[in-house]
Amino acid sequence: MKKFIKWIASGWMLILFFIGFFLFWEYSIPLFDIPRYILPSPSEIVLKGSADLDKLIYYTGVTALETVLGYIIALILGVGFGIAISFSSILRRTLYPFFVSIEMTPKIAFAPLFISWFGFGLMPKVIIVVLVCFFPIVLNAILAFNSLSNELTLFYQSTGASRLKTFFSIRLPAALPQCFVGFKYAAINATVGATIAEFIGSDKGLGFYISIVTGNMRPDLAFAGIFFLTVLGLTIFGFVTMMEKILIPWHISMKRINK
Amino acid sequence: MKNFIEVTELKKVFGNGEDEVHAFGPATININAGEFVSVLGPSGCGKSTLMLMVAGLLDSTSGKVEFENKLVNGPKTDIGIMFQDNTLVPWRTVKGNIELQLELRGLNLKDYQEQINNILKSVNLDDFADRFPNELSGGMQQRAAFCQAMIHDPKIILLDEPLGKLDAMTREKIRADFQKLWMVKKPTVIFVTHSIEEAVQLSNRVILITPRPGKIDREIKIDLPYPRDLKVKRSPKFAEYVNSIQEVFHKYGVI
Ligand SMILES: Nc1ncnc2c1ncn2[C@@H]1O[C@H](COP(=O)(O)OP(=O)(O)OP(=O)(O)O)[C@@H](O)[C@H]1O
Ligand SMILES: [Mg+2]
């Protein structure tokens, strides 16, 4: 009960903070005489943005498709490679160090190359999202599948269970919490990848929209685009967090008790 | 006649070069079928190491382990083993964890529902069957792990300090229950413990291990009638056994 009140209190504080933030933004513009082509006020962003709503919604869909498609492909590839590397000593000595070294290079730097190779369409954006999301997923999956406690390993060995049964009964559930660390990190990066890919070369999508309207000296519309991008990112992240709660409720409750 | 379990010149050295740790042995131990043998020794003397090698879960550096003349050269699966750290998984309830043992062994869960209820009742956990391990105290987790190790009714039982985290009273009760179970089913038991009293109360024979690297100091046959209830525990003979073991460890400066 105490915790609940605390939670409400902290929640209200956050809401108040946001209200204060936007009020400050709204009224500091006339106060400091900031020209609207530099920084528009929140009310103007809402007003001008809603005039362009159809386009914004359509472009959100475009960017969402690139992001979600890339994310799902990265998820499948990342977990697949993660499991393969965890269970094969050859791959662990070859692919694993290779992935770790690639992880060091900023993947987004490949974006212009992909655009020049594959054109303006959907595919290069999806590839860039995959590239950005794949590494956190695969590296966390490797960590996850390699960190089974010694006792549990000995325990299943003493039962004589098959590798397949052990995998689904012990290894997979034990690995999920660490896997989700990667999934969540990738979910945050996914929209970043898609947006930058659209900046570089595209004819639709929120990244394209933002770069065009900024060029036309319309920061109000750019902010509207950023707002939709934020909503998209939050939705994807929220979905992954929800999946975590559904798939590993025991892990969430464990964290709560440890607090 | 050969013994049921024969441990011959078994030795374990971990690591190599400068990191080398001579953990156990060489030691020779023979155990009869149906015998209850306790292994008693100071911390770090290699008791857990010995147990893992007997179970075929850890390779020895030299020497061998045989069950009924058959050399152990991989994990033995026809045993019940309880490790020093519990093997409860956080994503399953107490009951689910017990069932995990059965599932991994490919046994039919339906056939065991009654046994699960009974064993949970015997350790006073029947009200906690549907709780998750992180909702239990350390002692309760240990009791749940005990049920998990015993549910498939193994004929060979290896326990590594199974009652270490329990309060004195619960410990007393589970000891008595376990003794009853042993008297009825006569499994072969290797019981690692820190408690001299516990070893004397439960065992046919107590094996005293020296400080690391553990070797066998001596074996003491406990000639007391079963069941060893409170009356036996208060007898002068019981106290004599406890005293003589205490003296051995006193000699090593362990107590
Ligand atoms: N995997 C390992 N690698 C290296 N050294 C180890 C390993 N396992 C155990 N040892 C060492 O072997 C020795 C014996 O360890 P073991 O766990 O068998 O002792 P123990 O008698 O069970 O002690 P306790 O009563 O505290 O449980 C210790 O010195 C320990 O440091
Ligand atoms: Mg030990």
Side-chain angles (χ1 to χ4, degrees):
Chain A
M1 194 61 200
K2 231 179 193 167
K3 261 190 185 159
F4 184 69
I5 292 170
K6 236 188 197 163
W7 182 83
I8 289 274
S10 67
W12 274 113
M13 234 127 77
L14 187 65
I15 291 166
L16 277 178
F17 176 80
F18 267 107
I19 292 172
F21 174 76
F22 283 112
L23 282 177
F24 174 76
W25 182 356
E26 183 77 36
Y27 291 103
S28 60
I29 285 172
L31 194 68
F32 300 114
D33 212 12
I34 301 172
R36 56 168 45 168
Y37 60 85
I38 301 280
L39 183 66
S41 68
S43 58
E44 201 183 346
I45 293 168
V46 173
L47 206 71
K48 299 284 163 57
S50 39
D52 226 7
L53 199 59
D54 289 347
K55 216 187 237 172
L56 278 166
I57 288 174
Y58 169 62
Y59 284 163
T60 304
V62 171
T63 307
L65 182 69
E66 296 163 0
T67 312
V68 171
L69 216 55
Y71 185 75
I72 290 172
I73 293 171
L75 203 76
I76 293 166
L77 288 179
V79 173
F81 273 105
I83 290 172
I85 289 170
S86 304
F87 290 97
S88 151
S89 58
I90 296 172
L91 292 183
R92 211 174 314 137
R93 263 173 278 157
T94 52
L95 261 190
Y96 181 48
F98 176 68
F99 283 163
V100 171
S101 53
I102 292 194
E103 167 66 1
M104 299 300 145
T105 63
K107 264 77 59 188
I108 206 71
F110 290 100
L113 274 177
F114 285 126
I115 305 282
S116 79
W117 291 341
F118 302 111
F120 274 33
L122 178 67
M123 187 167 67
K125 279 95 186 177
V126 173
I127 292 176
I128 288 159
V129 174
V130 171
L131 207 60
V132 167
C133 294
F134 174 75
F135 289 92
I137 293 178
V138 75
L139 293 179
N140 277 290
I142 293 168
L143 187 64
F145 282 99
N146 274 319
S147 54
L148 193 66
S149 80
N150 197 25
E151 280 70 36
L152 280 178
T153 310
L154 295 174
F155 170 58
Y156 80 69
Q157 284 176 349
S158 80
T159 65
S162 69
R163 291 184 71 153
L164 197 71
K165 199 181 256 180
T166 320
F167 180 81
F168 285 108
S169 298
I170 295 185
R171 287 197 171 273
L172 182 64
L176 280 180
Q178 185 65 44
C179 282
F180 264 98
V181 172
F183 297 168
K184 288 206 266 191
Y185 187 78
I188 295 169
N189 283 340
T191 41
V192 179
T195 309
I196 295 180
E198 287 174 353
F199 281 168
I200 293 168
S202 66
D203 46 16
K204 49 185 181 287
L206 286 173
F208 162 78
Y209 181 83
I210 291 167
S211 72
I212 292 296
V213 296
T214 307
N216 293 342
M217 299 287 240
R218 292 294 301 274
D220 50 341
L221 294 180
F223 271 105
I226 290 167
F227 174 77
F228 275 82
L229 212 48
T230 308
V231 170
L232 176 63
L234 280 177
T235 308
I236 292 171
F237 186 74
F239 182 77
V240 175
T241 309
M242 195 180 76
M243 288 310 290
E244 185 186 28
K245 274 191 185 138
I246 291 170
L247 287 176
I248 46 174
W250 51 273
H251 182 65
I252 313 288
S253 64
M254 206 152 71
K255 274 195 288 196
R256 199 176 301 138
I257 283 176
N258 286 344
K259 255 179 210 168
Chain B
M1 200 192 86
K2 277 273 220 172
N3 293 286
F4 183 61
I5 305 176
E6 295 207 346
V7 174
T8 314
E9 292 294 312
L10 193 66
K11 180 179 156 186
K12 182 68 190 182
V13 179
F14 285 108
N16 43 37
E18 289 210 353
D19 303 326
E20 203 173 276
V21 178
H22 185 172
F24 182 79
T28 296
I29 303 168
N30 294 317
I31 296 171
N32 297 318
E35 199 177 5
F36 197 123
V37 174
S38 285
V39 176
L40 203 54
S43 179
C45 73
K47 302 181 296 294
S48 301
T49 306
L50 166 66
M51 209 190 73
L52 292 181
M53 288 192 289
V54 170
L57 293 167
L58 180 70
D59 290 335
S60 63
T61 307
S62 62
K64 59 182 177 178
V65 177
E66 287 165 301
F67 279 75
E68 297 181 287
N69 285 331
K70 271 202 282 304
L71 192 70
V72 173
N73 52 12
K76 261 191 88 61
T77 58
D78 55 343
I79 59 170
I81 182 165
M82 185 173 164
F83 300 93
Q84 194 161 6
D85 291 307
N86 78 56
T87 51
L88 303 174
V89 297
W91 59 89
R92 282 176 175 239
T93 61
V94 168
K95 187 158 179 245
N97 266 288
I98 297 173
E99 289 175 340
L100 181 63
Q101 173 85 262
L102 302 168
E103 281 174 39
L104 289 173
R105 289 174 179 277
L107 298 168
N108 191 348
L109 294 187
K110 272 192 208 128
D111 301 342
Y112 282 87
Q113 292 308 310
E114 205 186 317
Q115 272 112 305
I116 293 174
N117 290 338
N118 289 342
I119 197 166
L120 281 174
K121 225 171 267 164
S122 77
V123 299
N124 285 334
L125 277 182
D126 39 337
D127 290 341
F128 291 85
D130 299 322
R131 295 306 183 98
F132 286 87
N134 64 10
E135 299 174 295
L136 306 184
S137 72
M140 290 160 92
Q141 288 177 11
Q142 204 167 29
R143 281 181 270 159
F146 179 79
C147 299
Q148 187 191 48
M150 305 288 295
I151 189 63
H152 56 299
D153 203 11
K155 287 278 153 290
I156 300 160
I157 299 174
L158 310 179
L159 302 169
D160 196 346
E161 291 183 42
L163 313 179
K165 288 180 190 147
L166 301 189
D167 60 291
M169 273 182 291
T170 316
R171 198 166 173 151
E172 202 76 50
K173 180 186 178 300
I174 293 178
R175 258 185 227 169
D177 286 348
F178 188 49
Q179 187 163 77
K180 238 185 279 165
L181 180 137
W182 174 75
M183 286 170 66
V184 174
K185 297 192 169 160
K186 280 285 172 168
T188 308
V189 182
I190 300 179
F191 190 89
V192 173
T193 177
H194 276 153
S195 162
I196 296 173
E197 262 203 19
E198 194 162 278
V200 174
Q201 188 188 349
L202 293 171
S203 328
N204 296 119
R205 191 150 48 105
V206 181
I207 297 177
L208 308 191
I209 310 279
T210 68
R212 192 178 65 82
K215 294 200 180 57
I216 293 174
D217 180 273
R218 71 192 67 187
E219 299 184 4
I220 299 179
K221 242 179 111 58
I222 310 293
D223 240 334
L224 294 169
Y226 287 97
R228 293 175 185 162
D229 50 18
L230 219 57
K231 217 166 81 194
V232 177
K233 283 185 77 178
R234 286 192 187 129
S235 67
K237 223 172 156 194
F238 189 94
E240 241 170 68
Y241 281 123
V242 173
N243 277 338
S244 65
I245 294 172
Q246 272 173 344
E247 256 161 49
V248 173
F249 288 124
H250 195 76
K251 187 183 74 192
Y252 286 117
V254 181
I255 44 177

